[in-house]
Amino acid sequence: MVRKREFNEEQALDAAMQLFWENGFEATSLTDLTTGMGIQRPSLYATFGDKQELFEASLRKYNQWHAVSVRQQLHDHVSVQEAFRAFFEQIAREGYGGKTSRGCFCINTMVELATHDEKIEILTREHQMYLTVIFQERLEQGVQAGQLPKSVHTKSLAQTLIVSLIGLTVMLKSRPERSFIEHSITGILSLLED
């Protein structure tokens, strides 16, 4: 008779995601994971596979959540300019919010692992491309609403905004002067002026 699992898989995966997001792949031990997830090693292996497989599942969970969150944030404002202003300013606030900024789990992973792990490279690149589509859709809505000129190449602008987002998120790890970040965000947002 197969023994019934005595833990909630989604809650355990969420706990793993939080640990990997906070510490990265290398600095998160199996003991950290079993303690944080509230499960024993045999259950971890039986349910999620090894540490690498658990990490990939955690990253996929984060990417799904993050895409929904970004889409919602960009649709909380009528004006496309205000939507992106609020979005980038929120990134900056989070970067200065506590002792350390977790930043974006996907971007952290890209920096830590993508250069030497092909599967992670693909997972992180796919997420950046998906975010680019979300940005492009929002920019196209701005064009249709007359908030941006019809001549705007929304795909190129979305790609530029994604590169800016990644750069800003990585730079915030070193906590530069706030004025540096504020001026950078002003420069990024100037791309949205008509």
Side-chain angles (χ1 to χ4, degrees):
M1 182 166 155
V2 177
R3 202 169 148 201
K4 187 180 173 205
R5 290 202 171 104
E6 297 173 4
F7 64 93
N8 182 300
E9 285 183 40
E10 280 304 306
Q11 288 176 351
L13 183 57
D14 187 60
M17 181 189 79
Q18 297 298 329
L19 285 165
F20 283 130
W21 187 1
E22 186 73 35
N23 303 315
F25 177 78
E26 293 296 336
T28 304
S29 70
L30 281 172
T31 301
D32 295 334
L33 289 165
T34 54
T35 301
M37 297 167 74
I39 63 176
Q40 300 298 316
R41 282 188 191 203
S43 295
L44 186 150
Y45 291 128
T47 307
F48 301 105
D50 64 13
K51 180 181 170 184
Q52 179 73 30
E53 291 170 303
L54 176 59
F55 183 82
E56 290 167 10
S58 297
L59 182 59
R60 283 188 189 91
K61 180 179 180 72
Y62 172 86
N63 287 349
Q64 291 170 351
W65 167 82
H66 189 236
V68 169
S69 175
V70 168
R71 186 181 300 278
Q72 183 59 52
Q73 284 177 278
L74 291 178
H75 286 84
D76 281 347
H77 302 272
V78 174
S79 158
V80 68
Q81 289 88 350
E82 281 307 308
F84 279 100
R85 175 177 304 285
F87 177 77
F88 279 98
E89 287 176 350
Q90 179 64 30
I91 299 294
R93 274 192 303 280
E94 289 171 2
Y96 290 105
K99 259 190 195 175
T100 59
S101 169
R102 290 193 302 176
C104 170
F105 180 24
C106 186
I107 294 172
N108 296 346
T109 300
M110 185 174 61
V111 172
E112 180 186 10
L113 301 174
T115 58
H116 53 271
D117 185 318
E118 186 176 355
K119 197 176 236 182
I120 295 297
E121 175 190 337
I122 291 166
L123 283 171
T124 57
R125 183 175 57 238
E126 285 176 348
H127 186 58
Q128 305 314 324
M129 294 305 100
Y130 190 67
L131 291 182
T132 302
V133 169
I134 293 171
F135 278 24
Q136 184 177 356
E137 288 171 356
R138 186 63 182 99
L139 292 167
E140 287 171 356
Q141 290 169 351
V143 170
Q144 291 168 2
Q147 298 164 354
L148 293 171
K150 292 191 185 306
S151 60
V152 167
H153 191 277
T154 56
K155 183 176 182 179
S156 295
L157 182 52
Q159 292 168 337
T160 301
L161 291 171
I162 288 294
V163 170
S164 299
L165 169 63
I166 293 168
L168 178 67
T169 303
V170 172
M171 185 151 235
L172 280 164
K173 292 286 191 185
S174 67
R175 300 229 181 192
E177 292 288 326
R178 283 183 185 262
S179 61
F180 184 94
I181 295 299
E182 289 165 2
H183 290 134
S184 298
I185 291 173
T186 299
I188 293 165
L189 295 173
S190 71
L191 298 170
L192 300 171
E193 294 172 0
D194 44 357

